Amino acid sequence: YPRWDGAAPLRFAEADARAIRNVLTSRSGASIQLISGSSATKSSVKAAMARLVADSRQGDTVLYFQSGHGVLLADPASPEIERTCLLLADSSSDAPIPTSLTDREIGQELLDALPGRDVVIILDACYSGAGTKGAGELRPKSAPAPYRFRYVRAGNSGRVAVQHGHARLTFLAACTFSQMAFEDDRRGHGLLTAALLEALPPPTSTGEVASSVLKRVPVWAREKGQVQTPVVLDRSGGSLMLLEGP
């Protein structure tokens, strides 16, 4: 994140994305595009979203996964609205919202554009803008906020709305909107991704994934003196299959 002041490099964000891509393609034959490193600019990610929308059909399952830094900022245009901002390779702390991927853009570019599809969105990123340090082998996945932000409501819900016309929608966040999400040196992944990988041997439904991450992530974080509570919004009732059995 060379243009974001104070954003420490993450060791495992690319490993997270590769591991999820590899397990899904090897066990399901799914077609997954990986964008990582300096190629993961805002324009390339939004172009990939547009292709995803154009290529998908009614009845398809569409997955969007992102691992990286995240900040929570008040929208300068509407200060009463807070935005989750996911950092990309060209995100700039001089223009944080225009150069990052916001929750609103995920809603507009994917959710609003994919009626009739089963949609799964997984975000392994921190939703707090506070710059803190992890303990032991844990490393926070946050970046410093370039200007002061305000929390304008309380609660632990994810920030992507669920009132869309999809057959089934599952949204999984690494933590609540006021928490840090962590990388784990011992596991070589973000805590959310590590829990996902343990849950993914088929058959695997969204319900089984939710059970895995809600059970494992808080325990792993607590072992290092940290708090990280995943958030699950699942309109499928846990029935959407991510990987089918033999």
Side-chain angles (χ1 to χ4, degrees):
Y1 305 95
R3 299 176 60 194
W4 196 281
D5 291 342
L10 291 175
R11 291 186 60 187
F12 305 122
E14 292 185 35
D16 290 347
R18 284 195 300 270
I20 295 297
R21 188 271 312 269
N22 291 345
V23 72
L24 291 176
T25 54
S26 65
R27 294 173 179 171
S28 71
S31 175
I32 297 179
Q33 180 181 1
L34 175 66
I35 306 175
S36 62
S38 60
S39 298
T41 62
K42 184 165 185 176
S43 62
S44 65
V45 169
K46 293 190 73 170
M49 287 181 170
R51 289 193 296 272
L52 186 62
V53 170
D55 293 344
S56 67
R57 298 292 181 265
Q58 293 285 110
D60 285 349
T61 297
V62 176
L63 169 70
Y64 180 82
F65 173 90
Q66 183 166 340
S67 178
H69 276 311
V71 297
L72 186 65
L73 300 170
D75 190 332
S78 303
E80 74 281 4
I81 299 175
E82 50 191 4
R83 294 288 178 208
T84 295
C85 300
L86 303 174
L87 273 57
L88 300 165
D90 57 346
S91 294
S92 170
S93 52
D94 292 331
I97 290 182
T99 61
S100 60
L101 187 68
T102 68
D103 52 357
R104 183 178 184 180
E105 289 172 304
I106 292 175
Q108 292 174 333
E109 302 292 333
L110 286 180
L111 298 184
D112 291 345
L114 288 169
R117 280 74 156 177
D118 293 333
V119 180
V120 180
I121 295 176
I122 302 174
L123 305 177
D124 195 346
C126 180
Y127 283 170
S128 170
T132 65
K133 295 182 178 180
E137 299 168 329
L138 295 185
R139 183 180 306 102
K141 303 181 74 171
S142 71
Y147 51 82
R148 186 172 180 176
F149 64 90
R150 293 184 295 143
Y151 295 117
V152 295
R153 69 168 181 264
N156 292 337
S157 64
R159 319 208 66 72
V160 178
V162 297
Q163 61 269 22
H164 295 267
H166 306 97
R168 289 175 292 186
L169 169 64
T170 301
F171 171 68
L172 176 59
C175 58
T176 69
F177 79 90
S178 60
Q179 290 180 342
M180 311 294 286
F182 293 94
E183 291 190 318
D184 187 348
D185 288 344
R186 182 162 64 88
R187 292 178 173 89
H189 289 290
L191 291 184
L192 176 67
T193 300
L196 283 171
L197 293 171
E198 290 200 10
L200 281 175
T204 307
S205 67
T206 53
E208 290 167 315
V209 166
S211 177
S212 174
V213 301
L214 290 173
K215 176 182 177 181
R216 290 177 170 83
V217 171
V219 172
W220 293 344
R222 193 161 54 246
E223 288 173 351
K224 300 298 181 181
Q226 301 294 337
V227 176
Q228 181 177 333
T229 308
V231 174
V232 179
L233 302 175
D234 192 352
R235 282 185 56 187
S236 77
S239 64
L240 178 59
M241 298 303 296
L242 296 178
L243 286 174
E244 302 287 350

